[in-house]
Amino acid sequence: MTDTSTRAWLALVVITIASWWLAPAHSGATAQPRVLITALVLLLAVIKSRLIIRYFMEVRDAPRWLRYATDSWLAVLFVSIFVIYLI
């Protein structure tokens, strides 16, 4: 594993812990839907997805069009999920 992959993995671990910490249910509280928390968790999911695609699916060394295509796909996917959540 390269040094870059190790840093990406550590970032994934930190983001996973942050996502868990944002969830109110882990403290025994009743989970209430909150738009801000949902937006933050989705943003963290976008970052995690991008890290996985770039560093563990080797897209960082792929042609530019593929990097742009995967970034565009992630943006459309997560915006769609958030819009569906808001409806």
Side-chain angles (χ1 to χ4, degrees):
M1 213 172 188
T2 66
D3 188 43
T4 305
S5 296
T6 302
R7 281 187 262 140
W9 179 80
L10 286 172
L12 290 168
V13 170
V14 169
I15 292 169
T16 300
I17 292 169
S19 296
W20 172 82
W21 183 79
L22 284 170
H26 72 81
S27 63
T30 304
Q32 299 293 328
R34 302 221 193 301
V35 174
L36 179 61
I37 291 176
T38 302
L40 287 173
V41 170
L42 280 174
L43 177 64
L44 291 173
V46 168
I47 295 168
K48 282 177 69 171
S49 299
R50 190 165 190 267
L51 284 171
I52 291 167
I53 290 170
R54 288 287 169 122
Y55 294 100
F56 298 103
M57 297 176 74
E58 301 297 329
V59 173
R60 77 175 178 272
D61 297 325
R64 185 177 304 169
W65 67 267
L66 184 58
R67 293 191 307 259
Y68 290 154
T70 57
D71 288 345
S72 300
W73 174 76
L74 279 175
V76 169
L77 176 67
F78 283 97
V79 166
S80 300
I81 290 171
F82 191 60
V83 167
I84 290 169
Y85 170 77
L86 291 175
I87 292 178

